[in-house]
């Protein structure tokens, strides 16, 4: 992961410092929604001058972190890497920003290529009955062969999975895949996803190679099949986020800079609605609109299957930015939505602690819960399972363990996740560790008493990078440090 993570220091650069540096180096730039745009340092590495104003602006610098991405060469790195490359260019040394692949990513690409070659386009299956049954299983009977072909969707018969490709926006080479299969438990249908490479490195904005340079309007969806349904029904440019409503990685923001209007239609529950509001802040509120989930506005694929007018639903999207003063008329539908969805409004329920649901109803953003008890009473053991329960349901979680080490904490959580003592079955360790690694779980690396400002800066950084919605502090007095003992806790 090239972008800074909670394990590394929080970038100390501000947007003012970035602008001052670019001006001092004579590098032209202009303000975008989430990024500053400059000519690339990497498209012509033999210049000993800063990039000229006439060059295309293909390098994007994140306003929050200073991390950069060149969409022409896929060179990327931190703000410090950018400065180092500017210095190299001044000395006449060619800049080398091509992406260097880790071994794991290289192997994932080779595996993806093998799977892709074995998968078949759905419309090329010889048995029409098999085609129809497969389409019915995934609820895509109304999606035409032309739509499936346009987005390059294939079917892997051996795994009974749909295969969604990740093509490089630079040269259309295959970078990875997402496999989706259906699991039925009684009447409940769940979709199980697997990606190559693993989730953390899988940053595919599905549908990106189909976007034209002149496209200025976009619909962002939380699922690949929703993007297909939207495009077929409305003809609008549509993309699917790699991890749905879980997170919007900042590394994808440069690819969304060209759009003057972005509509977020992520799903059909309140979790998706909250995520849409969070992502709109990252994308710049003034250009974003949100489709509110309700019975008459389900997710796009479901809307297509129900025969609803998707263009009409898009027209009802609400602007993400609102005035400081509103009338009840503006709030009326939101209030009705809260009354209809009282269970969802109460928050994400704990699967392992039904009694806790009676007390707290569920986990809600923006609320503080304090657990107290004497030393050794089991606070850490309980809260690690309490947090794990939510994390397994897609709640992005940041742990600040100031009292015990991250290794010991991770060992406790892995044991709770596997529901067994792995020290007695070490041959199962890698299997469980792989599954545990895919959870949206991050750890701060502080230990012992800390300066509270440093801790809060780290939390804010993690919220921006990983869309954290649940922070655990264990425990409060260690986080506060000595200098705050006399302050109002």
């Amino acid at each position: 992961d090239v972008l800074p993570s909670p394990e590394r220091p929080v970038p100390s650069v501000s947007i003012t410092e970035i602008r001052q540096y670019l001006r001092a180096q004579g590098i032209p730039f202009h303000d975008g929604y989430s990024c500053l745009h400059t000519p690339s340092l990497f498209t012509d590495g033999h210049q000993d001058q800063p990039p000229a104003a006439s060059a295309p602006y293909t390098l994007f610098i994140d306003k929050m972190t200073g991390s950069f991405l060149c969409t022409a060469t896929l060179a990327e790195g931190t703000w410090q890497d950018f400065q180092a490359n500017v210095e190299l260019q001044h000395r006449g040394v060619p800049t080398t920003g091509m992406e260097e692949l880790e071994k794991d990513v290289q192997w994932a690409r080779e595996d993806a290529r093998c799977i892709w070659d074995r998968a078949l386009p759905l419309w090329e299956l010889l048995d029409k009955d098999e085609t129809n049954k497969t389409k019915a299983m995934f609820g895509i009977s109304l999606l035409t062969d032309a739509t499936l072909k346009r987005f390059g969707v294939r079917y892997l018969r051996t795994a009974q999975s749909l295969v969604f490709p990740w093509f490089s926006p630079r040269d259309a080479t295959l970078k990875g895949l997402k496999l989706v299969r259906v699991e039925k438990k009684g009447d409940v249908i769940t979709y199980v996803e697997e990606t190559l490479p693993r989730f953390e490195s899988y940053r595919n904005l599905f549908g990106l190679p189909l976007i034209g340079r002149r496209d200025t309007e976009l619909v962002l969806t939380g699922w690949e099949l929703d993007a297909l349904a939207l495009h077929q029904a409305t003809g609008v440019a549509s993309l699917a986020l790699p991890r749905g409503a879980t997170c919007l990685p900042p590394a994808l923001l440069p690819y969304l800079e060209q759009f003057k209007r972005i509509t977020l239609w992520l799903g059909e529950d309140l979790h998706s609605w909250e995520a849409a509001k969070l992502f709109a802040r990252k994308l710049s509120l003034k250009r974003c609109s949100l489709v509110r989930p309700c019975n008459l506005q389900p997710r796009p694929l479901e809307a297509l299957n129900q025969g609803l007018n998707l263009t009409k639903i898009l027209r009802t999207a609400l602007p993400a930015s609102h005035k400081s003063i509103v009338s009840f008329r503006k709030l009326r539908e939101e209030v009705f939505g809260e009354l209809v969805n009282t269970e969802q409004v109460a928050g994400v329920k704990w699967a392992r602690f039904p009694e806790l649901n009676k007390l707290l109803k569920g986990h809600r953003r923006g609320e503080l819960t304090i657990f107290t008890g004497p030393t050794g009473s089991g606070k850490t053991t309980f809260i690690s399972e309490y947090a794990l329960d939510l994390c397994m349901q897609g709640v992005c979680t940041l742990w600040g363990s100031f009292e015990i080490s991250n290794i010991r904490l991770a060992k406790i959580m892995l044991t709770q996740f596997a529901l067994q003592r792995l020290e007695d079955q070490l041959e199962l360790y890698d299997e469980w560790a792989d599954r545990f690694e895919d959870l949206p779980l991050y750890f701060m690396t502080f230990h012992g008493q800390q300066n509270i400002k440093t801790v809060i800066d780290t939390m804010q950084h993690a919220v921006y990078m990983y869309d954290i919605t649940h922070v655990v502090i264990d425990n409060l007095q260690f986080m506060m440090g000595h200098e705050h003992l006399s302050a109002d806790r």
Side-chain angles (χ1 to χ4, degrees):
D1 216 34
V2 255
L3 290 168
S5 68
E7 289 82 29
R8 302 181 204 168
V10 179
S12 55
V13 68
S14 70
I15 183 64
T16 306
E17 290 168 319
I18 295 172
R19 287 192 179 108
Q20 285 172 345
Y21 179 82
L22 294 174
R23 286 191 193 106
Q25 298 296 331
I27 299 172
F29 66 90
H30 63 73
D31 248 310
Y33 297 100
S34 315
C35 307
L36 296 178
H37 305 194
T38 80
S40 179
L41 303 170
F42 305 99
T43 45
D44 183 5
H46 301 291
Q47 284 181 302
D48 56 359
Q49 293 297 317
S54 58
Y57 283 46
T58 58
L59 192 137
F60 298 87
I61 301 170
D62 190 299
K63 291 182 185 180
M64 292 288 289
T65 63
S67 300
F68 73 89
L69 168 72
C70 168
T71 53
T73 62
L74 299 187
E76 57 182 345
T78 63
W79 174 242
Q80 289 73 23
D81 295 334
F82 178 82
Q83 290 172 302
N85 276 298
V86 171
E87 294 302 316
L88 285 174
Q89 209 168 58
H90 279 307
R91 290 188 224 141
V93 181
T95 46
T96 54
M98 295 307 291
E99 52 174 0
E100 290 177 27
L101 299 181
E102 293 176 14
K103 280 213 164 68
D104 286 353
V105 175
Q106 280 180 324
W107 290 335
R109 284 195 183 181
E110 287 164 21
D111 288 348
R113 171 56 62 192
C114 294
I115 291 171
W116 184 244
D117 290 342
R118 279 172 31 223
L120 290 169
L122 260 178
W123 57 93
E124 284 185 12
L125 297 179
L126 295 174
D127 186 347
K128 284 293 165 209
D129 278 350
E130 185 184 6
T131 305
N132 294 336
K133 275 182 188 169
T134 303
K135 279 186 160 188
M137 180 168 66
F138 286 95
I140 55 171
S141 299
L142 295 182
L143 289 183
T144 64
D145 289 348
T147 301
L148 293 165
K149 193 173 189 176
R150 177 178 167 77
F151 283 86
V153 181
R154 292 188 181 183
Y155 179 64
L156 186 64
R157 191 183 264 144
T158 48
Q160 292 193 317
S161 299
L162 290 181
V163 184
F164 300 97
W166 176 15
F167 291 120
S168 166
R170 182 168 59 97
D171 54 13
T173 54
L174 188 74
K175 293 182 74 172
L177 297 172
K178 181 184 277 189
L179 298 167
V180 178
R181 70 175 193 276
V182 174
E183 275 190 3
K184 265 192 171 183
K185 288 178 185 172
D187 293 337
V188 180
I189 291 175
T190 53
Y191 294 93
V192 181
E193 297 182 349
E194 189 182 339
T195 63
L196 284 168
R198 301 273 290 283
F199 272 136
E200 196 65 33
S201 306
Y202 183 79
R203 298 192 303 213
N204 179 23
L205 267 175
F206 180 72
L208 189 61
L210 303 176
I211 299 290
R213 284 187 181 174
R214 292 183 182 176
D215 285 324
T216 57
E217 296 200 2
L218 172 75
V219 183
L220 267 184
T221 70
W223 197 35
E224 288 77 6
L225 291 176
D226 284 337
L228 269 70
L230 257 167
H231 181 78
Q232 179 175 304
T234 65
V236 298
S238 51
L239 298 175
L241 294 172
R243 298 186 71 172
T246 307
C247 68
L248 168 56
L252 301 180
L253 297 177
Y255 296 111
L256 303 173
E257 283 287 292
Q258 78 180 65
F259 301 102
K260 290 184 176 144
R261 179 181 157 91
I262 295 178
T263 305
L264 292 131
W265 189 351
L266 297 185
E268 53 206 346
D269 56 12
L270 278 179
H271 173 64
S272 306
W273 174 243
E274 290 294 328
K277 289 193 276 190
L278 194 70
F279 297 168
R281 290 214 298 270
K282 216 180 254 195
L283 291 162
S284 173
L285 292 171
K286 61 186 176 186
R287 62 168 171 163
C288 290
S289 300
L290 317 175
V291 173
R292 181 201 311 288
C294 66
N295 290 342
L296 296 174
Q297 294 181 174
R299 65 184 321 138
L301 180 64
E302 189 58 34
L304 180 74
N305 289 338
Q306 288 180 25
L308 301 173
N309 185 331
L310 276 76
T311 306
K312 196 173 170 185
I313 293 174
L314 283 177
R315 282 201 206 109
T316 66
L318 304 164
S321 59
H322 56 78
K323 301 283 183 281
S324 301
I325 298 172
V326 293
S327 65
F328 177 69
R329 184 187 296 174
K330 298 269 184 189
L331 301 173
R332 184 174 176 143
E333 284 306 305
E334 291 223 29
V335 173
F336 182 72
E338 295 227 344
L339 292 171
V340 170
N341 299 298
T342 47
E343 283 297 300
Q344 288 184 34
V345 171
V348 180
K349 302 279 186 287
W350 286 272
R352 301 184 181 198
F353 302 108
E355 290 298 313
L356 195 62
N357 291 328
K358 292 179 189 174
L359 287 168
L360 296 179
K361 308 302 179 203
H363 167 263
R364 292 172 296 282
R365 299 177 192 203
E367 292 194 1
L368 171 68
T369 306
I370 300 178
F371 290 86
T372 69
T375 304
S377 60
K379 294 188 298 294
T380 300
T381 308
F382 168 67
I383 288 177
S384 66
E385 185 141 14
Y386 159 104
L388 180 65
D389 186 315
L390 296 169
C391 197
M392 288 165 67
Q393 297 180 66
V395 175
C396 299
T397 303
L398 177 68
W399 254 96
S401 176
F402 300 90
E403 207 169 358
I404 67 169
S405 73
N406 283 334
I407 293 171
R408 193 168 145 219
L409 175 64
K411 180 188 154 193
I412 292 169
M413 294 185 86
L414 180 60
T415 303
Q416 292 170 332
F417 180 64
L419 298 171
Q420 57 189 301
R421 286 168 55 85
L422 290 172
E423 52 264 64
D424 299 335
Q425 293 174 289
L426 291 175
E427 69 279 3
L428 297 177
Y429 176 77
D430 284 329
E431 180 192 331
W432 282 106
D434 282 351
R435 287 165 65 180
F436 190 70
E437 208 175 293
D438 283 339
L439 294 175
L441 177 64
Y442 303 89
F443 301 90
M444 287 189 265
T445 54
F446 302 121
H447 194 60
Q449 294 181 328
Q450 299 295 327
N451 177 305
I452 195 163
K453 185 182 182 307
T454 312
V455 177
I456 288 174
D457 285 349
T458 304
M459 288 183 203
Q460 287 180 329
H461 171 65
V463 167
Y464 179 74
M465 295 297 297
Y466 303 107
D467 298 296
I468 299 295
T469 54
H470 185 206
V471 180
V472 181
I473 295 296
D474 181 26
N475 66 43
L476 204 55
Q477 70 194 50
F478 273 91
M479 185 188 95
M480 300 296 282
H482 288 297
E483 73 272 34
H484 288 276
L485 287 177
S486 60
D488 179 359
R489 291 193 174 191

